[in-house]
Amino acid sequence: MDLQQELNKTSGFKNLDLLAKQVVEGFIAGMHKSPFHGFSAEFAEHKIYNQGESTKHIDWKLYAKTDKLYTKRYDEETNLRCHLIIDNSSSMHYPELKSFSVDSLNKIAFTALASASLMHILKKQRDAVGLSVYSDSYDFYTPEKGSERHHHMLLNQLSELVISKPKHRQTDTFTYLHQIAENIKRRSLIFFFTDMLQTKVEEDKLFEALRHLKYNKHEVVLFHVFDKEKEMLFDFDNAPKQYIDVETGEHINLYAENIKDSYKKAVGDYFENIKLKCGQYRIKYVEADINKKFNNILTTYMIERQKFI
């Protein structure tokens, strides 16, 4: 069975790799300076051009000034190891959508496309990428590799996440972050995508698991993925509705206006506490609103990569 062909029959992304490339190129086009410049190599010195050498690195501006041909020499940078961690609990599949595009994403689709975009840049830098996926079980793990075959395997895994519809799968971050931290043996740049919503474990244990990721001198970035309009601002009309917890199946009937203010305060306080704890543990916190573009994600990558190296 051709997995990609089967995926194309679903309502998921038709070509995740191409979409990721478009996201990255669109991001670069909006910048004054390419983020790729100076990533794979840093300028070291000039040397006299010898006939027969590649003309790729000739400094034409210097030629205009001196009327002599010089090439730029570079010091290669060290490749990094990056590990992506994705929360695939039922709440990450909110809101439920029939089809997906760059302009129509739920939390897991936003996460998959953001991850694929990061992978696209990492691939250009010949960096090694690994992936862990969890919910109420440790669903998937692969160590960091940089091969073309590995890259396509990860893209297939991300595509499958988007079209999966896990029912009542809760978030056991406390248990599985500890296991994931143990699996990442060598120093890595870790990107963790989650909505930080779970019902079983108190906040202290959740942050204890986050702190475990800092072992072995890893650099950790928490991408807090949520629908700001609905999940933070509770922007629903005031018609009576039944609100269902997709992880537990519990539900409540109410008018949005009756609890909107208290809901916004409770969620706002929780999100602020997350930011404070991340700062305390030296974890980079990045708000990832699914209704916005991926600039936050890609800019964070560029900054953290330079710090990591």
Side-chain angles (χ1 to χ4, degrees):
M1 179 181 70
D2 186 336
L3 178 59
Q4 192 60 50
Q5 187 176 14
E6 292 301 312
L7 287 172
N8 289 344
K9 294 178 182 177
T10 72
S11 56
F13 294 124
K14 299 302 180 186
N15 191 326
L16 183 57
D17 196 20
L18 179 60
L19 277 178
K21 183 179 179 181
Q22 291 172 348
V23 166
V24 172
E25 290 180 350
F27 172 69
I28 294 170
M31 299 183 67
H32 296 296
K33 183 179 179 182
S34 169
F36 296 126
H37 179 74
F39 265 19
S40 60
E42 288 295 327
F43 172 72
E45 61 181 353
H46 285 100
K47 74 177 186 69
I48 296 174
Y49 172 75
N50 294 314
Q51 190 172 359
E53 290 181 343
S54 170
T55 59
K56 182 178 179 180
H57 297 298
I58 289 178
D59 190 332
W60 294 108
K61 289 184 178 179
L62 189 59
Y63 171 74
K65 295 177 181 178
T66 64
D67 202 30
K68 294 181 180 180
L69 290 175
Y70 292 91
T71 59
K72 293 180 179 180
R73 294 185 63 184
Y74 294 85
D75 290 330
E76 293 298 324
E77 285 193 354
T78 305
N79 290 342
L80 66 76
R81 303 169 67 84
C82 177
H83 199 89
L84 304 172
I85 303 174
I86 296 177
D87 168 6
N88 187 39
S89 57
S90 295
S91 64
M92 286 290 286
H93 290 258
Y94 176 85
E96 187 173 335
L97 299 174
K98 293 183 179 179
S99 61
F100 301 94
S101 69
V102 174
D103 300 316
S104 179
L105 301 167
N106 61 11
K107 288 188 282 186
I108 197 65
F110 180 96
T111 294
L113 185 49
S115 298
S117 300
L118 290 171
M119 284 167 46
H120 181 76
I121 303 177
L122 290 160
K123 179 183 174 184
K124 282 182 173 290
Q125 305 308 315
R126 299 179 182 178
D127 294 328
V129 188
L131 174 66
S132 287
V133 180
Y134 77 95
S135 52
D136 53 6
S137 62
Y138 197 164
D139 301 325
F140 180 84
Y141 165 75
T142 184
E144 299 80 20
K145 297 180 183 178
S147 69
E148 186 73 19
R149 181 178 179 182
H150 184 74
H151 181 81
H152 284 291
M153 184 269 287
L154 293 182
L155 286 173
N156 284 336
Q157 184 64 34
L158 292 173
S159 295
E160 289 185 68
L161 290 181
V162 174
I163 63 175
S164 66
K165 299 184 184 299
K167 295 289 185 182
H168 305 316
R169 298 200 68 178
Q170 299 188 32
T171 317
D172 197 351
T173 300
F174 173 73
T175 299
Y176 296 110
L177 274 194
H178 284 301
Q179 291 187 23
I180 291 167
E182 292 296 328
N183 276 337
I184 306 173
K185 304 296 184 183
R186 296 174 59 184
R187 183 172 179 256
S188 301
L189 178 57
I190 298 175
F191 294 129
F192 178 26
F193 291 87
T194 178
D195 57 11
M196 292 297 287
L197 299 175
Q198 66 173 37
T199 56
K200 288 184 177 180
V201 178
E202 54 269 26
E203 288 180 29
D204 287 346
K205 286 192 174 182
L206 180 59
F207 293 124
E208 179 188 322
L210 275 175
R211 187 168 58 179
H212 193 174
L213 287 178
K214 288 292 291 182
Y215 286 9
N216 296 328
K217 299 182 179 179
H218 300 312
E219 290 295 327
V220 181
V221 179
L222 171 64
F223 290 119
H224 188 185
V225 185
F226 60 95
D227 184 335
K228 190 169 187 176
E229 182 180 311
K230 301 298 185 185
E231 294 183 310
M232 187 175 183
L233 303 179
F234 208 65
D235 189 11
F236 295 94
D237 62 53
N238 201 35
K241 287 184 174 64
Q242 182 177 85
Y243 296 87
I244 303 172
D245 185 330
V246 294
E247 294 196 5
T248 65
E250 296 177 6
H251 63 272
I252 185 172
N253 299 311
L254 51 80
Y255 290 88
E257 288 297 327
N258 290 349
I259 68 158
K260 188 171 186 176
D261 290 342
S262 56
Y263 174 91
K264 285 168 64 176
K265 183 181 186 311
V267 172
D269 289 347
Y270 175 55
F271 284 10
E272 187 61 30
N273 192 33
I274 292 171
K275 293 179 188 178
L276 290 173
K277 286 291 186 181
C278 284
Q280 180 182 340
Y281 297 147
R282 296 185 179 179
I283 292 171
K284 177 79 172 181
Y285 174 91
V286 180
E287 181 179 300
D289 180 4
I290 64 172
N291 300 303
K292 294 188 176 180
K293 295 183 179 181
F294 296 90
N295 292 17
N296 256 7
I297 311 292
L298 301 180
T299 300
T300 300
Y301 160 78
M302 295 191 311
I303 294 170
E304 294 304 311
R305 188 189 198 285
Q306 290 175 319
K307 284 167 54 180
F308 185 89
I309 296 296

